[in-house]
Amino acid sequence: MGKIVIYKGGFQYDVVNMFAEELCEGFIALGKDAVVVDILKKEENTIISLLSDSCDAVISFNAIGALTRNGASVYDLFDVPFIALLVDHPFYHYDRFKDIENCTVTCLDLSHIRCLKRVLPRMKTLHLPHAGSLGEENLCCDKDIDILFAGTYIGSEEEAKQKLQGAKNPVLQKIFEDIVQATLDDDAQALDEMFLKYAEEKKITMDNAGMLLLECRTGLNISDFVIRNIKRLRALKILDDAGVTVDIYGDNWPDDLFVNHRIHDAVPFKDVLSLMNRSKLVLDLSFYPEGTHERIFSAMLNGACVLTDYNPYLESIPMINTFKWKDLKQLPERVEALVADSADSFEERAIMQEYAKKHHTWKNRAAKLLESGFLN
């Protein structure tokens, strides 16, 4: 039996390296030989030597460590499957994995797979949602946080929209602006599919839809960033205006941005898990078209009720509360009702935790990877 190598490295948030550690523990619990390698601390030749020594696969979050030798991928040279386990849209990391033949890309959102198949039809893909992480095993009985939100402040609506400016083609510029506006008024949608629809309406030549998407992926990435940022601000503002207090943990939030919300500095991911255990409700504002974020499953594992923006994929997961974007005005009432209902629901929280332990840990994701057949 060969070894499964899991990379960790330099990520903006420590949470991704924690994912790597928990995924490794999951493989070991399933009887596999697995090891985490910090590519920031290992020489490239040392890493390559691992590949030549009975390696069943390399699993790399966001495709870090896509090493080459003489212009060729080392994973192709050594016939070692490279599993690019993405925690973002494929377009953010496309250049890392696009030339690796012996590669499988896992996506957290079903629409991401459709997009990747348009631009790189040969690529093997697998739907692999985020998984949750457990902090303290025991659920907190006396919860002192009503509503928790964890996330980074990127800027105001005006600052976000300014990032859309600068497309070389004015027609494309207008398409990006139209996509953003349409998505700001509705539930999350697959931006690449919206782009192709708008491009067709604008009579843009589409001999190869995949090539067109690749050429415009920077604009699509910026559009995604803008939508996510503005929607997050609007949801928090409508709660603030209604007098509903949210404890916000994250970088760069201005102290005077809200009246009622409490702003806290960002804390390590393990501390966020403890905060979830102390919270009655975790607010998740991820805006995926057909996927889910780890915050949802981490909240469940740590005994917090969760409320997130709706998408069709979430209908398959029990015990998740969702709201539709067109019903944003009712968000304060919905949040207050969930907080009130969670006050005396210890038994329900225990059931929710057990469900998440059974279905949505990194051990579960390790099992799905083994079942996929993409490892040696």
Side-chain angles (χ1 to χ4, degrees):
M1 179 177 67
K3 188 185 298 293
I4 297 171
V5 175
I6 303 168
Y7 288 160
K8 72 176 186 178
F11 295 101
Q12 182 179 0
Y13 302 108
D14 65 323
V15 61
V16 183
N17 283 331
M18 188 168 168
F19 291 167
E21 297 283 357
E22 292 189 12
L23 182 65
C24 183
E25 291 170 6
F27 279 118
I28 292 171
L30 294 169
K32 298 298 179 181
D33 184 9
V35 62
V36 173
V37 173
D38 189 338
I39 63 172
L40 297 180
K41 296 180 179 180
K42 295 286 187 182
E43 295 290 337
E44 186 172 307
N45 286 339
T46 302
I47 296 172
I48 290 174
S49 68
L50 290 171
L51 307 181
S52 60
D53 184 23
S54 186
C55 181
D56 277 355
V58 165
I59 299 176
S60 170
F61 284 85
N62 286 348
I64 62 170
L67 304 175
T68 59
R69 177 177 283 178
N70 299 323
S73 166
V74 297
Y75 308 100
D76 294 334
L77 291 173
F78 290 100
D79 193 27
V80 173
F82 183 80
I83 312 295
L85 200 160
L86 303 188
V87 298
D88 301 296
H89 192 285
F91 278 173
Y92 287 104
H93 312 290
Y94 182 79
D95 287 336
R96 295 177 183 167
F97 61 76
K98 64 182 175 66
D99 295 322
I100 305 174
E101 293 292 332
N102 196 8
C103 180
T104 298
V105 176
T106 79
C107 297
L108 61 94
D109 189 293
L110 292 167
S111 72
H112 295 178
I113 292 178
R114 295 197 299 272
C115 178
L116 187 54
K117 285 298 187 182
R118 287 188 185 94
V119 301
L120 200 60
R122 67 164 177 80
M123 183 60 67
K124 298 186 290 293
T125 58
L126 177 69
H127 180 225
L128 195 76
H130 283 179
S133 298
L134 178 65
E136 303 167 21
E137 183 72 28
N138 295 327
L139 296 181
C140 180
C141 294
D142 299 318
K143 290 180 173 283
D144 59 334
I145 300 173
D146 279 350
I147 308 161
L148 173 69
F149 174 77
T152 301
Y153 177 75
I154 308 298
S156 66
E157 281 202 23
E158 292 72 24
E159 290 169 324
K161 288 181 177 178
Q162 189 63 34
K163 294 182 182 295
L164 276 177
Q165 306 304 311
K168 295 179 181 179
N169 184 318
V171 177
L172 293 177
Q173 177 77 46
K174 183 64 167 62
I175 290 176
F176 294 137
E177 292 172 355
D178 289 347
I179 286 174
V180 168
Q181 190 54 55
T183 312
L184 288 176
D185 295 333
D186 205 345
D187 295 322
Q189 301 175 58
L191 298 190
D192 61 298
E193 294 169 7
M194 291 182 69
F195 176 83
L196 292 176
K197 176 185 174 184
Y198 280 55
E200 186 175 15
E201 292 173 357
K202 298 287 186 182
K203 310 299 182 185
I204 294 178
T205 302
M206 289 174 47
D207 294 335
N208 188 321
M211 289 299 297
L212 180 61
L213 288 173
L214 283 177
E215 290 173 8
C216 298
R217 61 185 159 136
T218 299
L220 288 167
N221 288 345
I222 294 172
S223 299
D224 174 66
F225 168 88
V226 170
I227 292 163
R228 198 177 306 275
N229 186 56
I230 292 177
K231 280 190 164 183
R232 178 182 290 182
L233 287 174
R234 289 184 181 180
L236 290 170
K237 186 176 187 305
I238 203 165
L239 291 171
D240 188 58
D241 290 346
V244 179
T245 300
V246 178
D247 281 280
I248 299 173
Y249 284 80
D251 288 324
N252 305 324
W253 289 95
D255 291 332
D256 59 353
L257 186 61
F258 302 112
V259 175
N260 294 291
H261 298 335
R262 289 185 287 264
I263 306 298
H264 309 268
D265 291 336
V267 297
F269 182 60
K270 288 185 178 180
D271 292 342
V272 173
L273 300 179
S274 296
L275 291 169
M276 288 178 171
N277 198 4
R278 292 167 49 196
S279 300
K280 297 174 184 175
L281 177 69
V282 170
L283 183 62
D284 173 64
L285 302 169
S286 299
F287 308 109
Y288 288 120
E290 298 174 56
T292 184
H293 194 277
E294 63 80 17
R295 275 188 296 267
I296 292 174
F297 300 129
S298 290
M300 297 173 76
L301 281 166
N302 292 283
C305 178
V306 62
L307 176 65
T308 188
D309 51 287
Y310 170 84
N311 71 63
Y313 171 74
L314 296 175
E315 293 179 354
S316 66
I317 305 171
M319 293 177 280
I320 294 179
N321 302 286
T322 64
F323 70 94
K324 286 184 173 287
W325 192 250
K326 289 185 176 180
D327 298 330
L328 183 63
K329 290 182 179 179
Q330 283 75 53
L331 184 61
E333 181 180 348
R334 183 79 189 285
V335 164
E336 289 183 318
L338 288 170
V339 169
D341 289 345
S342 70
D344 300 311
S345 59
F346 183 85
E347 183 178 344
E348 290 181 13
R349 287 188 279 121
I351 293 171
M352 180 171 59
Q353 184 190 59
E354 286 305 310
Y355 165 79
K357 283 182 178 180
K358 185 176 180 180
H359 298 284
H360 295 295
T361 66
W362 284 106
K363 179 181 177 182
N364 299 129
R365 304 302 182 248
K368 184 169 182 178
L369 285 166
L370 293 173
E371 293 166 0
S372 71
F374 291 135
L375 285 68
N376 279 342

